Amino acid sequence: MVTSGSSQRTAAMGSEQVIPQHPGSNKEAVELYVGASVDVGSHHFRVVDQLGSGSYSTVWLVEILDRRPGEGNAGATTDEQRVALKDVLCKNHTALRQALYEVQLMLGLERKRLLDDTPPSKLRLPLCLTYEVHPNALGSAVRTAMTRLPG
């Protein structure tokens, strides 16, 4: 299983890439429910509401309570106080690779946007704030905090 400070190798579009794991990734994931407090990466959140759920994930509306600077922030920053938290249940290694690939895509698109100096308002893509991988009884959970899109 994933250990603190380790890296996860994943096959993405025919090439092997390394996805870093955030410290704390070896601890069991906290159950999410309205009112719960949860740490993901460098952020501390409070769950406000459930936005939706599907066969392998649940998306929550969360309020940012605190951001700890210098603790491995994965991606973008935001002035918004409420963001989305996607909680993906990965029952096998293939599902884990797919969930991490989604995170990798968001981070890569954000880096490209920054390098191209494109204003965030020109793109209709969520910005990844932070993410974490946790072991659980069924496999792994990938939690990704991201900005919400209007509409």
Side-chain angles (χ1 to χ4, degrees), residues 13-85:
M13 298 186 101
S15 65
E16 193 171 291
Q17 299 182 12
V18 176
I19 305 271
Q21 303 302 311
H22 289 287
S25 296
N26 59 344
K27 63 183 179 186
E28 187 88 12
V30 173
E31 182 181 351
L32 297 180
Y33 53 88
V34 174
S37 291
V38 61
D39 292 321
V40 179
S42 59
H43 291 72
H44 183 68
F45 302 101
R46 181 179 59 83
V47 178
V48 176
D49 199 5
Q50 182 177 326
L51 295 174
S53 63
S55 59
Y56 82 112
S57 69
T58 303
V59 179
W60 300 89
L61 175 64
V62 295
E63 182 176 35
I64 300 173
L65 299 177
D66 187 25
R67 180 181 180 277
R68 296 172 299 282
E71 287 193 27
N73 189 27
T77 59
T78 183
D79 292 331
E80 297 175 34
Q81 284 305 111
R82 290 186 171 188
V83 297
L85 179 64

Side-chain angles (χ1 to χ4, degrees), residues 104-121:
Q104 183 181 27
L105 281 175
M106 281 192 288
L107 293 172
L109 290 169
E110 174 62 8
R111 279 191 296 272
K112 181 168 177 25
R113 184 194 69 77
L114 290 171
L115 291 172
D116 293 347
D117 201 25
T118 305
S121 60

Side-chain angles (χ1 to χ4, degrees), residues 87-101:
D87 189 25
V88 180
L89 172 61
C90 304
K91 293 182 181 179
N92 57 47
H93 192 69
T94 301
L96 177 61
R97 280 197 328 255
Q98 182 170 341
L100 290 173
Y101 183 65

